Amino acid sequence: MIPEPSAAAATRSSEQNTNSQVEATSSGAVNHSEDDSGNENRQKSVQFSGNATCRKAKASCSSAGKAGGRRGKQKHVEAVTLFEVITMGKSAMQTVIDDWIEAYATDRDSSLLDLISFFIQCCGCKGKRMRVVTAEMCQSKEDGEVMSKMGEELDEVAGLQYKKFMAFPWILTVTWPLDTDNADYPLVQPGPQGRWFHSEFCDFLSVLVIQCQHSVIFDSYLMNTLISLLTELSNSYVRAFRHTCTLAAAKLLSSLVGVALSLSVGVENSQKLYDVQKTKTARQRSTQQLDRIQRKIRELQEKRAEIEGMMDVIFKGVFLKRHRDVLPEIRSICMEELGLWMKLYSSVFLNDSYLKYMGWMLNDKVADVRLKCVLGLQGLYADPLLLPKLDLFTSRFKNRMISMTLDKDNEVALQAMKLLVFISKQSDDVLTPEDYKQLLQFVYASQRPLAASAGELLFSRLLKAVPPTTDSQDELNEEEIHKQQAFSRLKALLQFYEESQLHKHVVYLVDSLWDCGGAVLKDWPTLTSALLQEPSSHSPGFTPAEQAVLVEILVASVRQASEGPALAGRSGAKKVMNVREKKNQIDECLRITDHFLVVLPKLLSKFSCSCDTVASLMRIPQYFLPECPKAEDTQAVSSLMAEMAAVLDLHSSPALLEAAARSYLSLCGGEAAWCSTARAARDSLVQRWVDQLAELLGDSVRGESFSADEEKTREIVATLKKLGAFHNCHDLSQWRLFDLLSPLLSAESGHEEAPPEVLAEVLQCASFAVLWSLNTSSETLSSREKAVAQRQQLRLFCERSQCCLSHCSQSVRDQAFLGVCDVLSAHSYQLHLWDPACFGPLLYTPSPKLQRALSTFVCAHVFLGSDCDSQSKAGENSEEERLEDLHRRRNLLAAFCKLIVHRVLEMSMAAEVFMFYMKFYNDFGDIIKETMYRTRKMDKIESARSLLLCLQELFVRLKREQDSGGRGHPGVQTFTSIKELARRFALTFGDPVKFRECVVMIHRNGIEFVFQEFGQSPEAATPPHLPYLTILSEFSSKLLRPDKKTMLSHLQRHTAELVTDLREERWQPLIYYRASLLAAAEAEDAASYVSSGRRPHTQNRSPLPKHKLEVQKQSISPSHQKTGNVEPFSVPLTTDAVLTISNEPDDGTVEVEL
């Protein structure tokens, strides 16, 4: 064990007398376990011994004390190791370190060994992870014989690993087991424990250096030993040693940097004092004081040089070897601390010889290492005083820093952009125009933090300080100057948007500039004055194209102020607002209402001829707040309603109509003063459209035929679009639009049918009418007669829409299908909400003919083959058209699946959808999978039966196609694809216990599907559906072992009367399926082997162990006795053999060898 100090001294004296080069103590081992830690040294005369300090029972740390009269108080003192002290907080840490320093002054060898043991413990030596440290004294560092024995050794026989190294004057040998988990040590503990230990461990090193900086740190003993220890352990093959001691060495160097800085401050202050003394006259000057100041300066400079020497040793011994370590955590530590050293002690570390490591590690393959490099560089470039030393580094690694904005790690890309923002602000000539062009495009990035950082670069580069364009600035007042500057900024912003040509969505550009340039974007009076300004000779104003973009910027800023930064397709925005942010949002909405209630009519009047511009302006009233003081001004509201109505009379584009309908809904809802005015204006507008439509239809629809010229048809379509858009948001039931439009639906079957564009709009308006009728059932259905009329309306709409499902126009077919699906889903939802105490919608079940029509429509118009899908002409918009067509088909499929989920259609109809799961997985896999999940939650058995029905239907189609000998039909899948589909279906049954009944039902029905109504004859020796058993075997892995035996018995009951010679090829599916049922849980899964479709070969086959499975004799069919000595299910030992069955009469079992 570690000897007494007196014994150690005696031993050293004895060894010196014998002229020995190595002065060894009686080498003792310090055993570091949780129970024995420090027990060996508790008998020492010093109270701080055995890697322990003293703590009173009240948990307050006190001085360690010395030998003598204070020994009598030891019974009130609890021993605490240095490793345990880091759990006690920073204040206790300072007290314990002070006690350790006192003990070090008394017996530095023993105290130093305690500190060494502390670092060994921090590497994970506790509990079962026991490590033994043996310490010996060494007289000389240059002893060649001793140095040749240093290193790490493995003793595989003893199961131990040794590391012997010198921490002068100690020769330390660390022993640990080979099978120790190398990845389990305090620094890598999961959860908050690891982060907490990291913080406390770093604080311990910092406090240790701070408390020692005026005393023992310069004794040429403590730091030499500590640096040697950390350097040697950081070079170990063991990850725990390398990681922990690299962190310790890096933090030790950082603490020494703080000491060097304090010494530099002392040198500067002393030098100032010396200069002041030198300026005094000869009578006032004191030569003795000058000499004392000079001695102090020299002393401080010598100490600083000594500290810098320590830092250089640590840097060369640890950093140079570990900055390219295989462990990314170690590389991160090195880069993080290097950035701190260069920032704090730039006079030594901030030069190209150190900066090159930071530049090299920008290419590290681990994101955290790159992140630490970028964060370190941010601290350097943010200080203007350090920029002159970074010129060469910037020119060398600028391209790499720019390319890191495209890093696959979002945080690295964000911090790289922030670094370039720092560089741009500090120096204007570093980044070229090409660099800015590349970086500014990130305002359209999908990650909002990255886009906001790029927006900051754009604002500081182009928009922050744009001078006014006028030469007579002195003659303008402050308001005009502000207006000129705002116009110049808007010009610059519009020019950037025009030159970028990368993105069409202004809303993302506004969101990127919102954090830094929100004041400019929220200056709505300036924006609206720029739009309303008429061009003149001294101010040309904006072009029509610029005005259109400016309107989009205006509307996007209004939306941003009202709703926040949440945008579709952009992630990383703050989703929850605090109370202050909510209050600011309300204030902004009040400002918007107050300003645009007066200005918006003028804007609508000016841009009324531009459909896209007024469509954007129409969205602004959606953000009005009724609490605005100007809400009482009915004249302003009436003016706004008049201008909106005038715009609607001129245009009928879908975007404008949708925006107008939503704005009217916002203005008409609530109890504000303007709501009554808005409702009156809306009703007057709708009444005018209904009257106009009735007049047009009266002239066009005669009997069952539609006759109208092109101009009148155009007017009918425009009016229907307006009514459809408003009926989507508003309840227009009082105008009875369904009764007005139903003749058009019946006229479709006449000699002269309505044009497709008219029929599509009529179907949409009619579906909205039925939906509103269902939605307001609780309010409008006051008698049974009304409920019957509502059901009659629903039936009529479904029948008329069913006739349109086969229309030649795609738009009519799609609208009819979506309308039927929507109203049936809404009817089902209302039935679930119906209160039996009042009248509600009556039950309506779609006819079987309608159900088949819907299913046929989905199969014919949703699941289109690649040959049918590529019929459109190739061109510039071919990809865009393909995506739009895919979106349309996904909507159709989702509408049909909702009918199944809402129990409108039978669950068995889902089989028509499930059969396309694999073939169209990329396009519709998510919808089909969600449908499968929802139906399984409704009824597991029925959902499994629909999967079974799907596989059987596909198999029957394939069988029919093969029997007919015709060409392959696009709707018929191959046997391999059906088998793969079954495998994917089997994977959806996760827990075998949870889905036990479902899997058993699939096997039972599958066996019956193969053998039902089959009578063996010479013409039909095998069942026609026998190959289906190979598909069914994909579900065998989901069977529990008892269920496998049950299914085996069920299989043999069906095959008992059949004459089966399994040596024939035609019975192979039965063998495969039987083998999958016989496979036990611990054996190799026979189903996976059989489903691979490969035949076993006797040659070139790796030997496999035989797995023996036992089943009861009675599970074998009684037909065994019919064939004499030949077993019905046995296969001769040929290359076609799959399994062998032999009877063992002694134990009453049948043994199967795979």
Side-chain angles (χ1 to χ4, degrees):
M1 300 303 167
I2 295 179
E4 296 283 347
S6 57
T11 305
R12 290 195 297 271
S13 177
S14 174
E15 295 292 338
Q16 289 174 359
N17 293 335
T18 58
N19 297 324
S20 175
Q21 293 182 352
V22 179
E23 302 177 351
T25 64
S26 57
S27 299
V30 181
N31 199 353
H32 299 286
S33 64
E34 291 181 341
D35 300 330
D36 305 329
S37 181
N39 291 334
E40 296 82 356
N41 295 330
R42 288 182 182 173
Q43 298 178 356
K44 290 189 178 183
S45 58
V46 181
Q47 190 173 358
F48 188 99
S49 62
N51 199 12
T53 187
C54 299
R55 183 177 62 186
K56 290 187 177 180
K58 295 181 180 180
S60 61
C61 298
S62 60
S63 175
K66 296 183 176 64
R70 299 185 61 181
R71 288 194 182 183
K73 299 180 181 180
Q74 283 188 356
K75 60 182 179 179
H76 303 294
V77 176
E78 180 184 351
V80 179
T81 64
L82 285 177
F83 180 77
E84 294 173 352
V85 106
I86 63 176
T87 66
M88 299 166 57
K90 198 168 184 178
S91 59
M93 198 180 295
Q94 292 178 349
T95 305
V96 172
I97 290 177
D98 289 340
D99 294 345
W100 181 87
I101 294 174
E102 293 181 12
Y104 178 84
T106 304
D107 185 359
R108 66 181 186 179
D109 291 341
S110 178
S111 300
L112 194 56
L113 282 178
D114 291 335
L115 187 60
I116 292 173
S117 300
F118 163 76
F119 285 105
I120 299 299
Q121 277 185 305
C122 289
C123 294
C125 58
K126 60 180 181 177
K128 297 180 180 180
R129 296 175 50 84
M130 183 182 66
R131 289 181 173 86
V132 179
V133 182
T134 304
E136 306 174 39
M137 295 296 295
C138 180
Q139 184 179 8
S140 174
K141 290 183 180 180
E142 308 300 331
D143 189 350
E145 182 180 354
V146 175
M147 297 302 294
S148 63
K149 298 180 180 179
M150 303 299 168
E152 293 190 17
E153 298 179 358
L154 298 176
D155 188 350
E156 298 183 357
V157 177
L160 297 175
Q161 186 169 354
Y162 304 92
K163 180 173 179 61
K164 188 173 184 179
F165 60 95
M166 177 180 291
F168 190 80
W170 301 97
I171 298 176
L172 300 178
T173 303
V174 184
T175 308
W176 67 95
L178 274 175
D179 57 351
T180 302
D181 186 6
N182 198 25
D184 181 20
Y185 51 97
L187 272 183
V188 294
Q189 293 180 87
Q193 291 84 2
R195 295 190 297 269
W196 170 85
F197 179 83
H198 182 280
S199 175
E200 296 296 326
F201 182 63
C202 296
D203 289 343
F204 179 87
L205 291 168
S206 176
V207 172
L208 177 64
V209 174
I210 291 174
Q211 299 300 99
C212 296
Q213 63 178 332
H214 301 298
S215 56
V216 297
I217 197 174
F218 299 104
D219 67 348
S220 300
Y221 186 77
L222 170 65
M223 294 305 298
N224 289 352
T225 305
L226 189 57
I227 292 173
S228 300
L229 172 72
L230 298 179
T231 302
E232 290 294 334
L233 289 180
S234 65
N235 293 333
S236 173
Y237 294 117
V238 181
R239 170 181 173 177
F241 288 155
R242 203 167 67 251
H243 187 187
T244 306
C245 294
T246 301
L247 174 63
K251 291 299 180 181
L252 180 62
L253 198 155
S254 300
S255 301
L256 292 177
V257 166
V259 176
L261 289 174
S262 63
L263 292 174
S264 299
V265 172
V267 171
E268 292 178 2
N269 293 337
S270 300
Q271 188 64 43
K272 291 178 182 178
L273 182 60
Y274 182 81
D275 294 339
V276 170
Q277 292 293 334
K278 290 285 290 184
T279 57
K280 293 182 180 179
T281 61
R283 296 182 57 186
Q284 296 176 339
R285 185 186 309 162
S286 172
T287 306
Q288 185 178 4
Q289 187 176 7
L290 285 176
D291 294 340
R292 186 169 62 252
I293 294 175
Q294 283 183 339
R295 286 196 302 271
K296 184 177 181 181
I297 291 175
R298 284 195 299 271
E299 180 183 356
L300 293 175
Q301 288 176 343
E302 290 174 358
K303 289 185 176 180
R304 185 175 61 182
E306 186 175 354
I307 293 295
E308 290 178 355
M310 297 177 190
M311 293 189 295
D312 186 63
V313 171
I314 296 175
F315 184 86
K316 292 179 179 178
V318 178
F319 180 88
L320 289 184
K321 299 177 181 179
R322 300 275 67 81
H323 81 283
R324 298 298 296 271
D325 194 277
V326 69
L327 194 64
E329 289 85 352
I330 295 179
R331 302 200 298 271
S332 297
I333 291 171
C334 294
M335 292 301 106
E336 183 179 12
E337 297 302 319
L338 178 61
L340 183 64
W341 304 335
M342 290 189 292
K343 181 180 179 181
L344 295 179
Y345 207 40
S346 58
S347 60
V348 174
F349 288 100
L350 190 56
N351 54 62
D352 296 329
S353 60
Y354 292 95
L355 280 169
K356 63 183 180 182
Y357 301 110
M358 192 74 76
W360 290 343
M361 299 308 289
L362 288 174
N363 298 279
D364 195 274
K365 62 181 180 180
V366 178
D368 187 64
V369 181
R370 301 194 299 271
L371 179 62
K372 292 297 189 296
C373 295
V374 174
L375 292 177
L377 292 174
Q378 285 182 10
L380 301 179
Y381 280 100
D383 190 352
L385 300 177
L386 304 180
L387 291 180
K389 298 183 178 181
L390 296 170
D391 291 340
L392 183 59
F393 176 85
T394 304
S395 61
R396 172 66 179 82
F397 294 100
K398 182 190 72 171
N399 293 335
R400 173 55 187 161
M401 289 186 286
I402 293 176
S403 67
M404 290 183 73
T405 55
L406 295 170
D407 197 281
K408 63 181 181 180
D409 187 83
N410 296 329
E411 186 64 22
V412 175
L414 170 62
Q415 299 302 330
M417 181 62 71
K418 290 184 177 180
L419 173 61
L420 293 170
V421 172
F422 282 132
I423 296 176
S424 175
K425 290 181 178 179
Q426 299 294 345
S427 180
D428 295 335
D429 56 346
V430 174
L431 298 177
T432 63
E434 290 76 13
D435 297 334
Y436 280 111
K437 184 177 180 180
Q438 177 182 349
L439 294 174
L440 294 180
Q441 300 302 325
F442 283 94
V443 294
Y444 300 112
S446 60
Q447 292 291 325
R448 190 182 188 277
L450 178 60
S453 183
E456 182 181 356
L457 180 62
L458 172 62
F459 186 79
S460 61
R461 178 70 179 174
L462 300 178
L463 310 178
K464 188 173 182 180
V466 179
T469 57
T470 180
D471 297 332
S472 58
Q473 184 174 355
D474 299 335
E475 301 177 0
L476 300 176
N477 55 24
E478 184 178 353
E479 182 179 354
E480 290 295 329
I481 293 176
H482 172 72
K483 187 175 180 180
Q484 291 269 348
Q485 289 180 346
F487 281 15
S488 301
R489 288 173 176 170
L490 292 176
K491 280 282 189 181
L493 181 60
L494 293 173
Q495 182 180 2
F496 165 76
Y497 178 78
E498 184 67 25
E499 291 176 353
S500 63
Q501 295 181 352
L502 183 67
H503 213 279
K504 297 295 183 182
H505 296 289
V506 177
V507 64
Y508 294 98
L509 176 61
V510 171
D511 182 45
S512 302
L513 292 170
W514 193 256
D515 295 341
C516 56
V520 177
L521 297 173
K522 289 188 291 187
D523 190 3
W524 294 302
T526 302
L527 290 173
T528 52
S529 63
L531 289 171
L532 294 174
Q533 181 185 22
E534 296 296 336
S536 59
S537 57
H538 63 278
S539 179
F542 298 93
T543 63
E546 291 176 339
Q547 287 179 343
V549 177
L550 196 57
V551 167
E552 292 186 26
I553 293 175
L554 173 67
V555 177
S557 64
V558 170
R559 188 216 66 83
Q560 188 88 7
S562 303
E563 296 182 352
L567 286 174
R570 175 164 283 184
S571 58
K574 185 178 179 181
K575 297 182 179 180
V576 180
M577 294 186 298
N578 54 34
V579 178
R580 182 178 180 182
E581 291 173 342
K582 290 181 180 179
K583 184 179 182 303
N584 292 338
Q585 190 179 64
I586 293 175
D587 294 340
E588 295 297 341
C589 290
L590 291 175
R591 286 185 55 228
I592 291 170
T593 308
D594 186 43
H595 176 72
F596 284 98
L597 196 59
V598 178
V599 177
L600 186 57
K602 301 177 183 177
L603 294 173
L604 291 174
S605 177
K606 180 177 181 179
F607 297 102
S608 59
C609 296
S610 176
C611 181
D612 295 336
T613 303
V614 292
S616 300
L617 292 173
M618 277 286 194
R619 299 202 303 267
I620 294 179
Q622 301 174 24
Y623 310 108
F624 286 178
L625 278 185
E627 293 81 4
C628 177
K630 285 193 175 181
E632 306 293 337
D633 188 1
T634 56
Q635 183 177 0
V637 177
S638 300
S639 176
L640 177 61
M641 295 293 104
E643 291 297 335
M644 292 175 68
V647 169
L648 290 173
D649 289 338
L650 294 175
H651 307 283
S652 59
S653 67
L656 186 144
L657 293 175
E658 181 183 358
R662 293 181 180 274
S663 295
Y664 270 99
L665 181 64
S666 177
L667 294 174
C668 295
E671 301 297 333
W674 66 37
C675 292
S676 59
T677 305
R679 291 193 197 102
R682 180 202 61 187
D683 294 346
S684 175
L685 191 63
V686 173
Q687 184 63 50
R688 180 154 52 89
W689 290 339
V690 171
D691 295 341
Q692 181 181 0
L693 180 62
E695 182 180 355
L696 292 171
L697 293 180
D699 298 336
S700 303
V701 180
R702 300 183 183 278
E704 294 184 354
S705 62
F706 180 89
S707 60
D709 55 11
E710 183 177 351
E711 182 180 357
K712 193 171 288 187
T713 301
R714 192 183 307 113
E715 292 180 5
I716 293 175
V717 171
T719 308
L720 285 172
K721 285 183 178 179
K722 295 173 184 178
L723 287 172
F726 271 71
H727 212 342
N728 189 20
C729 300
H730 305 262
D731 184 12
L732 307 183
S733 301
Q734 57 178 324
W735 284 278
R736 304 181 66 83
L737 289 176
F738 186 85
D739 297 337
L740 179 63
L741 299 175
S742 56
L744 280 174
L745 294 177
S746 61
E748 190 271 337
S749 59
H751 299 286
E752 296 183 13
E753 62 180 17
E757 58 270 17
V758 175
L759 275 180
E761 297 300 330
V762 168
L763 287 168
Q764 188 177 41
C765 286
S767 66
F768 288 152
V770 178
L771 288 173
W772 275 107
S773 175
L774 293 170
N775 189 45
T776 58
S777 298
S778 59
E779 304 171 2
T780 58
L781 297 183
S782 57
S783 62
R784 180 172 178 80
E785 289 75 14
K786 293 184 177 181
V788 172
Q790 183 191 73
R791 184 172 63 177
Q792 182 64 27
Q793 185 186 60
L794 176 61
R795 179 183 291 109
L796 180 61
F797 174 77
C798 291
E799 292 175 354
R800 300 290 173 82
S801 298
Q802 180 182 348
C803 299
C804 297
L805 291 177
S806 57
H807 198 275
C808 58
S809 173
Q810 176 182 296
S811 60
V812 176
R813 294 195 306 263
D814 293 351
Q815 186 56 54
F817 181 82
L818 291 175
V820 171
C821 293
D822 289 342
V823 298
L824 291 177
S825 299
H827 180 262
S828 175
Y829 179 73
Q830 290 298 326
L831 288 177
H832 284 85
L833 297 181
W834 173 54
D835 183 8
C838 59
F839 285 97
L842 299 179
L843 179 63
Y844 171 72
T845 302
S847 62
K849 184 179 179 181
L850 177 59
Q851 296 185 30
R852 288 194 301 270
L854 293 175
S855 178
T856 304
F857 181 89
V858 170
C859 295
H861 299 94
V862 173
F863 300 107
L864 301 176
S866 57
D867 51 347
C868 301
D869 195 24
S870 59
Q871 290 179 357
S872 57
K873 296 181 180 180
E876 295 182 0
N877 299 328
S878 59
E879 182 65 20
E880 183 178 357
E881 292 176 357
R882 188 190 68 81
L883 292 177
E884 289 181 357
D885 181 69
L886 176 61
H887 179 67
R888 176 187 64 84
R889 291 189 289 147
R890 284 175 60 86
N891 286 338
L892 297 175
L893 178 61
F896 181 77
C897 291
K898 282 194 296 184
L899 296 181
I900 300 173
V901 172
H902 292 163
R903 301 178 185 271
V904 177
L905 301 179
E906 294 292 337
M907 197 177 295
S908 59
M909 300 194 69
E912 295 290 337
V913 176
F914 293 159
M915 65 177 57
F916 297 101
Y917 180 58
M918 286 298 300
K919 189 175 182 180
F920 292 89
Y921 184 81
N922 293 333
D923 295 339
F924 311 112
D926 54 339
I927 300 177
I928 300 176
K929 195 171 185 179
E930 182 66 18
T931 306
M932 200 181 302
Y933 170 74
R934 296 288 187 90
T935 55
R936 191 166 292 170
K937 286 183 65 176
M938 294 161 51
D939 192 333
K940 293 189 295 185
I941 300 298
E942 286 300 321
S943 178
R945 187 170 282 112
S946 64
L947 298 181
L948 181 65
L949 181 62
C950 165
L951 295 174
Q952 292 177 358
E953 180 66 23
L954 288 174
F955 180 80
V956 169
R957 290 182 185 179
L958 177 62
K959 183 70 174 175
R960 188 184 304 118
E961 186 73 18
Q962 291 176 348
D963 294 341
S964 63
R967 297 181 57 186
H969 192 271
V972 177
Q973 300 186 27
T974 63
F975 187 82
T976 304
S977 62
I978 300 174
K979 195 164 175 293
E980 177 64 18
L981 180 62
R983 188 186 70 84
R984 295 296 291 268
F985 285 166
L987 291 176
T988 61
F989 296 102
D991 186 4
V993 178
K994 181 179 179 181
F995 299 102
R996 180 178 183 180
E997 298 178 2
C998 302
V999 179
V1000 169
M1001 184 272 300
I1002 289 176
H1003 281 273
R1004 189 180 300 275
N1005 289 8
I1007 294 173
E1008 294 174 357
F1009 170 73
V1010 173
F1011 294 102
Q1012 65 181 354
E1013 299 180 359
F1014 171 69
Q1016 195 172 35
S1017 64
E1019 293 79 11
T1022 60
H1025 297 160
L1026 185 64
Y1028 181 78
L1029 291 177
T1030 306
I1031 299 174
L1032 191 61
S1033 64
E1034 296 292 341
F1035 295 91
S1036 298
S1037 60
K1038 296 299 179 179
L1039 280 172
L1040 300 179
R1041 295 185 65 181
D1043 296 334
K1044 289 184 178 181
K1045 296 181 180 180
T1046 304
M1047 289 300 104
L1048 185 63
S1049 301
H1050 188 66
L1051 174 66
Q1052 293 189 7
R1053 279 196 300 269
H1054 284 81
T1055 59
E1057 302 300 329
L1058 301 181
V1059 179
T1060 55
D1061 187 359
L1062 298 187
R1063 289 170 296 185
E1064 298 181 6
E1065 182 70 22
R1066 57 190 179 185
W1067 290 105
Q1068 288 301 314
L1070 180 59
I1071 301 176
Y1072 290 173
Y1073 181 59
R1074 181 180 172 83
S1076 67
L1077 293 178
L1078 288 172
E1082 66 273 13
E1084 182 183 1
D1085 188 7
S1088 62
Y1089 174 77
V1090 173
S1091 64
S1092 62
R1094 297 172 297 176
R1095 296 289 183 85
H1097 297 280
T1098 57
Q1099 298 178 354
N1100 299 328
R1101 184 176 62 180
S1102 58
L1104 295 176
K1106 295 183 179 181
H1107 301 280
K1108 300 184 177 181
L1109 310 174
E1110 295 185 352
V1111 296
Q1112 296 300 322
K1113 258 189 176 182
Q1114 53 269 27
S1115 63
I1116 302 298
S1117 172
S1119 61
H1120 288 192
Q1121 286 80 15
K1122 296 183 180 181
T1123 56
N1125 297 327
V1126 181
E1127 295 290 338
F1129 286 97
S1130 65
V1131 181
L1133 293 178
T1134 63
T1135 57
D1136 293 334
V1138 177
L1139 55 87
T1140 301
I1141 300 178
S1142 61
N1143 288 341
E1144 297 289 342
D1146 52 345
D1147 58 0
T1149 60
V1150 178
E1151 184 180 88
V1152 181
E1153 296 181 358
L1154 294 180

